Amino acid sequence: MAGAVNEDGTPTAHPVVTVTGPRTLHETNEAPTLPEPGRAIVDITYTGVCGTDVHGYTDGHMLPPAVFGHEWTGRVSAVGDGVSGLEVGQRVVGGVGPACGRCSQCVAGHARQCDTAFAEANGVDPDAPEHGAFAGQVHVSARRLIPVPDEVTDIEAALVEPATVTFHAVRRVAATPGAIVVIQGAGPIGLLTAQNARNAGAGHVIVSEPSSARRDMATDLGFTDVVNPSDLKARVEATTDGRGADVLYECTGVAALLQPSAELVRRGGTLALLGFPLDTSTVSYADWQVRELAVIGSLAYNHDDFVATIQLIAEKRIDVAPLHTGTVGLSELGDLLEELDSGRSSHTKVLVDPHA
Protein backbone atom coordinates (compact mmCIF):
# COMPACT_ATOMS: atom_id res chain seq x y z
CA MET A 1 0.00 0.00 0.00
CA ALA A 2 1.55 3.29 -1.06
CA GLY A 3 -1.14 5.80 -0.08
CA ALA A 4 -3.73 7.52 -2.24
CA VAL A 5 -2.76 8.26 -5.85
CA ASN A 6 -4.08 10.33 -8.74
CA GLU A 7 -5.19 8.79 -12.03
CA ASP A 8 -1.67 9.22 -13.42
CA GLY A 9 -0.21 7.27 -10.50
CA THR A 10 1.30 10.24 -8.66
CA PRO A 11 0.59 10.61 -4.91
CA THR A 12 -2.28 12.90 -3.99
CA ALA A 13 -2.05 15.80 -1.59
CA HIS A 14 -3.60 15.11 1.79
CA PRO A 15 -5.65 17.32 4.13
CA VAL A 16 -4.23 18.77 7.35
CA VAL A 17 -6.11 20.63 10.09
CA THR A 18 -4.16 22.79 12.55
CA VAL A 19 -4.97 25.38 15.22
CA THR A 20 -4.01 28.92 14.20
CA GLY A 21 -5.65 30.88 17.03
CA PRO A 22 -8.26 30.63 19.78
CA ARG A 23 -11.15 28.55 18.39
CA THR A 24 -9.66 28.87 14.92
CA LEU A 25 -8.85 25.90 12.71
CA HIS A 26 -7.03 26.03 9.40
CA GLU A 27 -7.50 23.28 6.83
CA THR A 28 -5.06 22.94 3.99
CA ASN A 29 -3.74 20.31 1.60
CA GLU A 30 -0.17 19.17 2.07
CA ALA A 31 1.88 18.00 -0.89
CA PRO A 32 3.19 14.43 -0.69
CA THR A 33 6.80 13.95 0.36
CA LEU A 34 9.30 11.13 0.53
CA PRO A 35 10.30 9.91 3.98
CA GLU A 36 13.60 11.15 5.33
CA PRO A 37 16.20 8.67 6.66
CA GLY A 38 15.05 7.06 9.88
CA ARG A 39 11.47 8.21 9.33
CA ALA A 40 8.26 6.84 7.85
CA ILE A 41 5.03 8.14 6.37
CA VAL A 42 1.79 6.84 7.83
CA ASP A 43 -1.63 7.11 6.18
CA ILE A 44 -3.98 7.92 9.04
CA THR A 45 -6.97 5.65 9.64
CA TYR A 46 -8.40 7.27 12.77
CA THR A 47 -7.38 10.00 15.21
CA GLY A 48 -8.97 10.23 18.63
CA VAL A 49 -10.12 13.58 20.01
CA CYS A 50 -8.64 14.19 23.46
CA GLY A 51 -9.40 16.74 26.15
CA THR A 52 -5.95 18.15 25.44
CA ASP A 53 -7.04 18.83 21.86
CA VAL A 54 -10.08 20.71 23.16
CA HIS A 55 -7.91 22.86 25.45
CA GLY A 56 -5.47 23.53 22.62
CA TYR A 57 -8.32 24.57 20.35
CA THR A 58 -9.91 26.95 22.84
CA ASP A 59 -6.56 28.44 23.91
CA GLY A 60 -5.07 28.68 20.44
CA HIS A 61 -1.38 28.38 21.29
CA MET A 62 -0.80 26.11 24.29
CA LEU A 63 0.00 22.93 22.32
CA PRO A 64 3.11 22.07 20.31
CA PRO A 65 1.95 21.51 16.70
CA ALA A 66 2.50 17.74 16.88
CA VAL A 67 0.21 17.35 19.91
CA PHE A 68 -3.01 18.57 18.27
CA GLY A 69 -4.18 15.14 17.16
CA HIS A 70 -1.84 12.81 19.06
CA GLU A 71 -4.05 9.71 19.44
CA TRP A 72 -3.76 7.98 16.11
CA THR A 73 -3.49 4.79 14.14
CA GLY A 74 -2.80 4.14 10.46
CA ARG A 75 -0.84 2.19 7.89
CA VAL A 76 2.76 2.72 6.85
CA SER A 77 2.83 3.99 3.28
CA ALA A 78 6.58 4.59 2.91
CA VAL A 79 9.78 4.09 4.90
CA GLY A 80 13.05 6.01 4.71
CA ASP A 81 16.60 4.75 4.53
CA GLY A 82 17.91 3.01 7.61
CA VAL A 83 14.48 1.92 8.86
CA SER A 84 14.13 -1.71 9.88
CA GLY A 85 11.22 -3.63 11.38
CA LEU A 86 8.55 -1.72 9.47
CA GLU A 87 6.91 -2.61 6.17
CA VAL A 88 4.67 -0.72 3.77
CA GLY A 89 1.06 -1.61 4.57
CA GLN A 90 1.77 -2.43 8.20
CA ARG A 91 -0.72 -1.14 10.78
CA VAL A 92 0.81 0.99 13.52
CA VAL A 93 -0.02 3.37 16.33
CA GLY A 94 1.91 6.49 17.22
CA GLY A 95 3.78 6.13 20.50
CA VAL A 96 7.23 6.85 21.87
CA GLY A 97 10.49 5.09 21.21
CA PRO A 98 12.48 2.97 23.66
CA ALA A 99 14.74 4.65 26.19
CA CYS A 100 17.58 6.24 24.23
CA GLY A 101 20.43 5.22 26.56
CA ARG A 102 22.20 8.53 25.95
CA CYS A 103 20.30 11.27 27.81
CA SER A 104 21.12 12.36 31.35
CA GLN A 105 18.30 10.31 32.86
CA CYS A 106 19.33 7.15 31.03
CA VAL A 107 23.01 7.54 31.83
CA ALA A 108 22.11 8.02 35.50
CA GLY A 109 20.15 4.75 35.45
CA HIS A 110 16.64 6.21 35.22
CA ALA A 111 15.66 4.79 31.84
CA ARG A 112 11.93 4.92 32.64
CA GLN A 113 12.34 8.70 32.80
CA CYS A 114 14.22 8.92 29.49
CA ASP A 115 14.36 12.55 28.34
CA THR A 116 14.12 11.54 24.68
CA ALA A 117 10.95 9.49 25.13
CA PHE A 118 9.43 12.19 27.35
CA ALA A 119 10.08 14.82 24.69
CA GLU A 120 8.49 12.56 22.07
CA ALA A 121 5.44 12.10 24.28
CA ASN A 122 5.03 15.87 24.53
CA GLY A 123 5.73 16.62 20.86
CA VAL A 124 8.86 18.70 21.54
CA ASP A 125 11.64 16.36 20.38
CA PRO A 126 13.81 17.52 17.44
CA ASP A 127 12.16 14.92 15.20
CA ALA A 128 8.57 15.86 16.09
CA PRO A 129 6.27 16.03 13.05
CA GLU A 130 5.24 19.46 11.80
CA HIS A 131 1.61 18.79 12.69
CA GLY A 132 -0.50 16.22 14.45
CA ALA A 133 -2.69 13.53 12.97
CA PHE A 134 -5.83 15.49 12.22
CA ALA A 135 -4.55 14.87 8.74
CA GLY A 136 -4.44 12.33 5.96
CA GLN A 137 -0.79 11.52 6.66
CA VAL A 138 1.96 12.09 9.18
CA HIS A 139 5.72 11.98 8.61
CA VAL A 140 7.29 10.69 11.82
CA SER A 141 10.38 9.16 13.34
CA ALA A 142 10.19 5.42 12.75
CA ARG A 143 11.21 4.71 16.35
CA ARG A 144 7.83 6.03 17.48
CA LEU A 145 5.79 3.55 15.43
CA ILE A 146 4.47 0.52 17.26
CA PRO A 147 2.99 -2.39 15.26
CA VAL A 148 -0.64 -3.40 15.76
CA PRO A 149 -1.41 -7.15 15.78
CA ASP A 150 -4.27 -8.60 13.75
CA GLU A 151 -6.28 -9.30 16.92
CA VAL A 152 -6.69 -5.54 17.49
CA THR A 153 -9.24 -3.72 15.31
CA ASP A 154 -8.69 -0.26 13.84
CA ILE A 155 -11.16 1.21 16.37
CA GLU A 156 -9.30 -0.44 19.23
CA ALA A 157 -5.96 0.70 17.82
CA ALA A 158 -7.21 4.29 17.80
CA LEU A 159 -7.78 4.00 21.56
CA VAL A 160 -4.38 2.54 22.43
CA GLU A 161 -2.84 5.89 23.34
CA PRO A 162 -5.29 6.90 26.10
CA ALA A 163 -5.33 3.32 27.37
CA THR A 164 -1.55 3.50 27.63
CA VAL A 165 -1.73 6.75 29.61
CA THR A 166 -3.78 4.93 32.24
CA PHE A 167 -1.67 1.76 32.19
CA HIS A 168 1.38 3.94 32.93
CA ALA A 169 -0.38 5.62 35.86
CA VAL A 170 -1.56 2.37 37.44
CA ARG A 171 1.87 0.88 36.97
CA ARG A 172 3.46 3.85 38.76
CA VAL A 173 1.12 3.49 41.74
CA ALA A 174 1.85 -0.24 42.14
CA ALA A 175 -0.96 -0.64 44.67
CA THR A 176 -1.14 -3.64 46.96
CA PRO A 177 -3.44 -6.38 45.60
CA GLY A 178 -6.86 -6.12 47.19
CA ALA A 179 -6.66 -2.32 47.53
CA ILE A 180 -9.83 -0.26 47.80
CA VAL A 181 -9.64 2.13 44.85
CA VAL A 182 -11.63 5.21 43.89
CA ILE A 183 -11.80 6.40 40.29
CA GLN A 184 -12.85 10.05 40.18
CA GLY A 185 -14.34 10.76 36.76
CA ALA A 186 -15.64 8.21 34.26
CA GLY A 187 -14.58 9.84 31.03
CA PRO A 188 -12.26 7.88 28.75
CA ILE A 189 -9.29 8.21 31.12
CA GLY A 190 -11.31 7.24 34.17
CA LEU A 191 -12.93 4.22 32.51
CA LEU A 192 -9.59 2.99 31.25
CA THR A 193 -7.90 3.61 34.60
CA ALA A 194 -10.62 1.59 36.30
CA GLN A 195 -9.99 -1.35 33.98
CA ASN A 196 -6.24 -1.20 34.46
CA ALA A 197 -6.64 -0.94 38.24
CA ARG A 198 -8.88 -4.01 38.16
CA ASN A 199 -6.28 -5.88 36.11
CA ALA A 200 -3.62 -4.84 38.63
CA GLY A 201 -5.49 -6.53 41.47
CA ALA A 202 -7.73 -3.88 43.00
CA GLY A 203 -10.06 -5.55 45.48
CA HIS A 204 -12.88 -3.02 45.31
CA VAL A 205 -13.33 -0.22 42.77
CA ILE A 206 -15.64 2.74 43.36
CA VAL A 207 -16.31 4.87 40.27
CA SER A 208 -17.58 8.43 40.76
CA GLU A 209 -19.16 10.30 37.84
CA PRO A 210 -21.88 12.99 37.51
CA SER A 211 -23.04 11.90 34.01
CA SER A 212 -25.66 9.17 34.09
CA ALA A 213 -24.61 7.99 30.62
CA ARG A 214 -21.02 7.55 31.75
CA ARG A 215 -22.13 5.85 34.95
CA ASP A 216 -24.07 3.41 32.78
CA MET A 217 -20.96 2.80 30.68
CA ALA A 218 -18.94 2.04 33.81
CA THR A 219 -21.62 -0.45 34.85
CA ASP A 220 -21.59 -2.03 31.40
CA LEU A 221 -17.83 -2.50 31.77
CA GLY A 222 -18.45 -4.60 34.87
CA PHE A 223 -18.07 -2.08 37.70
CA THR A 224 -20.76 -2.59 40.30
CA ASP A 225 -20.04 0.30 42.69
CA VAL A 226 -20.73 3.37 40.56
CA VAL A 227 -21.95 6.53 42.27
CA ASN A 228 -22.83 10.17 41.76
CA PRO A 229 -20.13 12.45 43.23
CA SER A 230 -22.62 13.69 45.83
CA ASP A 231 -22.71 10.18 47.27
CA LEU A 232 -18.99 9.44 47.01
CA LYS A 233 -17.84 10.45 50.50
CA ALA A 234 -20.52 8.40 52.22
CA ARG A 235 -19.79 5.39 49.99
CA VAL A 236 -16.06 5.54 50.70
CA GLU A 237 -16.65 5.83 54.44
CA ALA A 238 -19.10 2.91 54.45
CA THR A 239 -16.81 0.72 52.34
CA THR A 240 -13.68 1.41 54.38
CA ASP A 241 -15.14 1.63 57.90
CA GLY A 242 -14.27 5.32 57.84
CA ARG A 243 -10.57 4.91 56.96
CA GLY A 244 -10.65 6.24 53.43
CA ALA A 245 -9.56 4.70 50.12
CA ASP A 246 -6.21 3.04 49.70
CA VAL A 247 -5.80 4.74 46.31
CA LEU A 248 -7.73 7.52 44.60
CA TYR A 249 -7.12 8.16 40.91
CA GLU A 250 -8.06 11.76 40.10
CA CYS A 251 -9.05 11.68 36.43
CA THR A 252 -11.09 14.87 36.00
CA GLY A 253 -8.40 17.56 36.02
CA VAL A 254 -10.72 19.84 37.99
CA ALA A 255 -8.45 21.96 40.18
CA ALA A 256 -11.06 22.51 42.88
CA LEU A 257 -11.34 18.75 43.46
CA LEU A 258 -7.71 18.20 44.44
CA GLN A 259 -8.01 18.79 48.20
CA PRO A 260 -11.43 17.11 48.52
CA SER A 261 -9.98 14.12 46.65
CA ALA A 262 -7.03 13.93 49.03
CA GLU A 263 -9.44 13.90 51.98
CA LEU A 264 -11.04 10.69 50.66
CA VAL A 265 -7.71 8.85 50.94
CA ARG A 266 -6.78 7.01 54.13
CA ARG A 267 -3.79 7.96 56.25
CA GLY A 268 -0.77 6.49 54.44
CA GLY A 269 -2.73 6.01 51.25
CA THR A 270 -2.05 7.23 47.72
CA LEU A 271 -3.46 10.08 45.69
CA ALA A 272 -2.71 9.46 42.00
CA LEU A 273 -2.99 12.39 39.60
CA LEU A 274 -3.97 11.79 35.96
CA GLY A 275 -6.26 14.73 35.18
CA PHE A 276 -4.36 17.84 34.18
CA PRO A 277 -5.81 21.06 35.67
CA LEU A 278 -5.29 24.30 33.80
CA ASP A 279 -6.06 26.39 36.90
CA THR A 280 -4.14 26.79 40.14
CA SER A 281 -4.96 24.17 42.76
CA THR A 282 -5.15 24.98 46.47
CA VAL A 283 -4.35 22.19 48.90
CA SER A 284 -3.68 21.79 52.60
CA TYR A 285 0.00 20.98 52.85
CA ALA A 286 -0.38 20.28 56.57
CA ASP A 287 -3.22 17.82 55.95
CA TRP A 288 -1.18 15.88 53.42
CA GLN A 289 1.84 15.83 55.70
CA VAL A 290 0.00 14.81 58.87
CA ARG A 291 -1.74 11.97 57.04
CA GLU A 292 1.47 10.91 55.28
CA LEU A 293 -0.15 10.82 51.85
CA ALA A 294 1.80 9.48 48.93
CA VAL A 295 1.09 11.69 45.92
CA ILE A 296 2.03 10.23 42.54
CA GLY A 297 1.88 12.33 39.41
CA SER A 298 1.59 10.67 36.04
CA LEU A 299 2.02 12.12 32.56
CA ALA A 300 2.28 10.24 29.29
CA TYR A 301 4.02 6.87 29.06
CA ASN A 302 7.01 4.74 28.07
CA HIS A 303 7.56 2.53 25.04
CA ASP A 304 7.01 -0.65 27.05
CA ASP A 305 3.70 0.73 28.36
CA PHE A 306 2.46 0.78 24.74
CA VAL A 307 3.62 -2.77 24.10
CA ALA A 308 1.89 -4.05 27.25
CA THR A 309 -1.33 -2.12 26.60
CA ILE A 310 -1.64 -3.41 23.04
CA GLN A 311 -1.22 -6.94 24.37
CA LEU A 312 -3.92 -6.39 27.01
CA ILE A 313 -6.31 -5.11 24.35
CA ALA A 314 -5.51 -8.05 22.07
CA GLU A 315 -6.23 -10.44 24.95
CA LYS A 316 -9.53 -8.59 25.69
CA ARG A 317 -8.40 -7.77 29.22
CA ILE A 318 -9.04 -4.09 28.49
CA ASP A 319 -12.27 -3.35 26.61
CA VAL A 320 -11.76 -0.07 24.76
CA ALA A 321 -14.30 -0.37 21.93
CA PRO A 322 -17.38 0.65 24.01
CA LEU A 323 -15.76 4.03 24.67
CA HIS A 324 -16.06 4.88 20.96
CA THR A 325 -19.31 6.83 20.65
CA GLY A 326 -18.93 8.56 17.30
CA THR A 327 -16.86 9.20 14.19
CA VAL A 328 -16.62 12.48 12.26
CA GLY A 329 -14.72 13.81 9.26
CA LEU A 330 -12.10 16.54 9.36
CA SER A 331 -14.63 19.12 8.20
CA GLU A 332 -16.71 18.43 11.33
CA LEU A 333 -13.81 18.73 13.79
CA GLY A 334 -14.46 22.36 14.72
CA ASP A 335 -18.10 21.74 15.57
CA LEU A 336 -17.13 18.69 17.60
CA LEU A 337 -14.52 20.61 19.61
CA GLU A 338 -17.09 23.27 20.41
CA GLU A 339 -19.54 20.59 21.54
CA LEU A 340 -16.96 18.89 23.75
CA ASP A 341 -15.94 22.23 25.26
CA SER A 342 -19.56 23.04 26.12
CA GLY A 343 -19.66 20.30 28.74
CA ARG A 344 -23.00 19.15 27.37
CA SER A 345 -21.80 16.47 24.99
CA SER A 346 -22.99 12.90 25.47
CA HIS A 347 -19.87 11.53 23.77
CA THR A 348 -17.16 9.54 25.51
CA LYS A 349 -14.57 9.15 22.74
CA VAL A 350 -14.96 10.46 19.20
CA LEU A 351 -12.66 9.45 16.36
CA VAL A 352 -11.84 11.49 13.29
CA ASP A 353 -11.70 9.71 9.94
CA PRO A 354 -9.67 12.01 7.66
CA HIS A 355 -10.98 10.24 4.58
CA ALA A 356 -14.68 10.54 5.44
Side-chain angles (χ1 to χ4, degrees):
M1 181 176 181
V5 295
N6 295 309
E7 291 183 0
D8 62 1
T10 59
T12 62
H14 61 272
V16 176
V17 174
T18 56
V19 174
T20 56
R23 300 183 185 274
T24 304
L25 298 180
H26 177 66
E27 183 171 351
T28 187
N29 287 318
E30 189 173 80
T33 60
L34 295 175
E36 298 171 359
R39 296 169 71 84
I41 294 176
V42 178
D43 290 342
I44 298 300
T45 304
Y46 292 117
T47 303
V49 181
C50 173
T52 302
D53 298 317
V54 177
H55 295 322
Y57 165 72
T58 57
D59 181 270
H61 60 78
M62 67 170 285
L63 297 182
V67 176
F68 185 64
H70 59 276
E71 302 179 3
W72 52 267
T73 185
R75 289 183 182 270
V76 176
S77 59
V79 296
D81 292 340
V83 173
S84 60
L86 289 175
E87 299 178 353
V88 171
Q90 188 171 17
R91 293 193 307 146
V92 293
V93 295
V96 297
C100 69
R102 301 183 302 275
C103 70
S104 176
Q105 292 274 28
C106 284
V107 171
H110 310 305
R112 288 197 58 77
Q113 297 295 334
C114 171
D115 289 329
T116 300
F118 188 73
E120 289 173 336
N122 290 280
V124 294
D125 60 297
D127 292 326
E130 295 182 358
H131 55 75
F134 291 129
Q137 287 184 343
V138 289
H139 186 183
V140 298
S141 171
R143 63 176 256 115
R144 291 188 53 213
L145 299 179
I146 302 171
V148 175
D150 292 341
E151 296 86 351
V152 175
T153 69
D154 287 339
I155 295 292
E156 291 173 327
L159 291 161
V160 163
E161 195 272 356
T164 303
V165 167
T166 65
F167 177 89
H168 179 79
V170 171
R171 186 178 188 180
R172 278 182 53 75
V173 169
T176 301
I180 298 174
V181 171
V182 172
I183 308 294
Q184 186 152 265
I189 294 299
L191 292 170
L192 292 165
T193 299
Q195 293 186 68
N196 276 305
R198 181 169 58 190
N199 284 339
H204 188 97
V205 178
I206 303 171
V207 179
S208 174
E209 169 58 45
S211 163
S212 60
R214 289 182 171 183
R215 289 199 301 271
D216 289 345
M217 187 171 292
T219 300
D220 291 344
L221 287 169
F223 296 98
T224 57
D225 202 349
V226 183
V227 301
N228 190 292
S230 61
D231 300 322
L232 177 59
K233 183 177 180 180
R235 183 61 57 87
V236 171
E237 290 180 348
T239 304
T240 65
D241 194 24
R243 292 187 310 278
D246 296 311
V247 182
L248 186 146
Y249 291 96
E250 207 304 296
C251 301
T252 70
V254 177
L257 291 178
L258 190 55
Q259 181 60 31
S261 298
E263 293 169 1
L264 294 172
V265 178
R266 68 168 174 83
R267 179 164 51 85
T270 300
L271 174 63
L273 306 177
L274 283 83
F276 196 89
L278 298 180
D279 301 320
T280 300
S281 304
T282 300
V283 302
S284 172
Y285 185 109
D287 171 63
W288 292 20
Q289 184 173 2
V290 167
R291 293 194 297 116
E292 296 189 337
L293 293 188
V295 181
I296 297 181
S298 180
L299 182 70
Y301 27 62
N302 307 100
H303 180 81
D304 51 318
D305 294 326
F306 272 94
V307 175
T309 299
I310 290 172
Q311 187 62 34
L312 289 171
I313 293 172
E315 294 174 356
K316 310 305 179 187
R317 293 180 60 195
I318 304 175
D319 192 0
V320 298
L323 277 64
H324 172 229
T325 54
T327 302
V328 301
L330 279 175
S331 62
E332 303 167 272
L333 179 58
D335 289 340
L336 174 65
L337 292 167
E338 289 286 349
E339 176 185 336
L340 295 175
D341 182 58
S342 73
R344 297 185 295 273
S345 177
S346 61
H347 281 300
T348 300
K349 174 63 71 173
V350 181
L351 303 181
V352 174
D353 178 353
H355 309 291

